[in-house]
Amino acid sequence: MTVFCLGSINADHVYQVPHLPAPGETLAASAVQTGLGGKGANQSVAAAKAGSVTQHIGAVGADGVWAVDALRGFGVGVDHIRTSDAPTGHAIINVDPQAENAIVIFAGANLDQSAVDIQAALATGGAGDWVLIQNETSHQVDAAKAARTNGVKVAYSAAPFDAEAVKAMLPFTDLLLMNEIEAAQLSDALGVKTADLPVAKVLITAGAKGVDLLDTKTGEIVSNPAFSVDPVDTTGAGDTFAGSFVAGFEQGLSDVDALRRASATSAIQVTRVGAATAIPDAAEVEAFLSAQ
Ligand code: RIB
């Protein structure tokens, strides 16, 4: 079985700054690191490191060969990454000593996906497979429809949050992932309680409070507390959680086991600087869980 991920691929430029810059302020960074990021790439790496066969669907520019090589190096299938005339996406990420961040993204090739290529990629999928989509590429609904046509289940990570984008995806979504603020914003925008959303499962993360997985048909909620760690950079933590969690579903883990493993994976990830490069492999996660 396979986890597909239609998702962004970025070069992340991570600056360690004394505080997040105020309007008009010029700040000196104490360190800078460049590496693979993009919510989609982070999710694919997390799914692959969790042990799922993972196929990334996306786009880079001619300057993005290194990013494709990096994804391949993390065990992600790259046959469905196209080369666009637009430059590879990038992100400017400021991180303060409290591990808070502020991110500016330039989408570039991420907004130049091909419906034909997406359909061809998802035609290789079938029952038992999942596609994970977030809001940093074009053609999200096309991908969800193609997935449904082929019996592939759809997970939508509603980040960066946009209520209209979520609304368009809801009819084709099996699992919706949001944080608690986004869940409240979506309820306000749609005038619908989270429990009444027309998707089978809704996962809501609440930072240090942990995570809830709601079954909208039965009303059952499965919860997992957050693990206590000292974060240095929270960039990509939500993506790490999403990729690991969907991999758990694809591998047939129980809800509680999938939640626990995803929580542990993102807990380790935030103790390191960077996004995709900071994601731990399955052995590290097992060791972390055993030590709890
Ligand atoms: O969620 C973190 C990611 O958001 C970063 O890797 C950055 O590239 C942006 O897409």
Side-chain angles (χ1 to χ4, degrees):
M1 297 293 112
T2 301
V3 174
F4 295 91
C5 179
L6 167 67
S8 54
I9 300 170
N10 289 340
D12 280 2
H13 305 287
V14 184
Y15 300 87
Q16 305 296 330
V17 289
H19 55 263
L20 299 181
E25 184 177 17
T26 299
L27 266 182
S30 59
V32 62
Q33 190 183 71
T34 296
L36 180 66
K39 295 186 191 305
N42 300 339
Q43 290 169 359
S44 279
V45 172
K49 287 201 167 191
S52 286
V53 172
T54 305
Q55 290 289 342
H56 194 89
I57 306 170
V60 294
D63 57 344
V65 175
W66 68 272
V68 177
D69 287 345
L71 278 165
R72 189 188 292 111
F74 286 125
V76 176
V78 297
D79 291 348
H80 304 294
I81 298 175
R82 68 194 295 266
T83 303
S84 161
D85 290 336
T88 302
H90 73 260
I92 303 297
I93 303 175
N94 290 310
V95 180
D96 76 9
Q98 286 73 45
E100 284 297 329
N101 64 34
I103 303 179
V104 175
I105 56 172
F106 174 75
N110 295 314
L111 295 184
D112 188 26
Q113 310 294 334
S114 151
V116 171
D117 290 359
I118 289 168
Q119 283 156 10
L122 289 166
T124 67
D129 295 339
W130 281 82
V131 63
L132 175 54
I133 301 170
Q134 23 52 50
N135 189 27
E136 281 190 339
T137 69
S138 59
H139 294 77
Q140 295 164 36
V141 172
D142 287 332
K145 285 182 180 171
R148 282 280 175 95
T149 301
N150 292 290
V152 175
K153 293 215 164 164
V154 177
Y156 188 61
S157 168
F161 183 77
D162 175 69
E164 286 304 311
V166 183
K167 196 172 163 186
M169 286 293 291
L170 281 179
F172 314 103
T173 297
D174 300 287
L175 167 68
L176 177 63
L177 302 97
M178 300 176 284
N179 65 35
E180 58 183 346
I181 297 165
E182 294 160 351
Q185 288 175 342
L186 185 65
S187 287
D188 285 350
L190 301 183
V192 173
K193 288 186 193 151
T194 302
D196 295 329
L197 287 170
V199 292
K201 299 221 178 200
V202 181
L203 185 140
I204 300 181
T205 53
K209 287 185 277 175
V211 56
D212 289 337
L213 179 65
L214 166 70
D215 185 317
T216 58
K217 289 200 183 69
T218 64
E220 185 193 4
I221 296 175
V222 178
S223 301
N224 196 70
F227 294 103
S228 177
V229 292
D230 290 326
V232 298
D233 179 4
T234 58
T235 308
D239 313 329
T240 300
F241 189 99
S244 173
F245 183 72
V246 171
F249 260 21
E250 178 272 320
Q251 292 164 21
L253 295 190
S254 68
D255 290 352
V256 72
D257 285 346
L259 287 177
R260 194 168 147 75
R261 191 176 74 175
S263 298
T265 308
S266 51
I268 299 169
Q269 194 263 355
V270 301
T271 64
R272 303 168 179 168
V273 174
T277 48
I279 298 171
D281 60 26
E284 290 174 277
V285 175
E286 281 311 312
F288 178 91
L289 284 171
S290 301
Q292 298 304 308

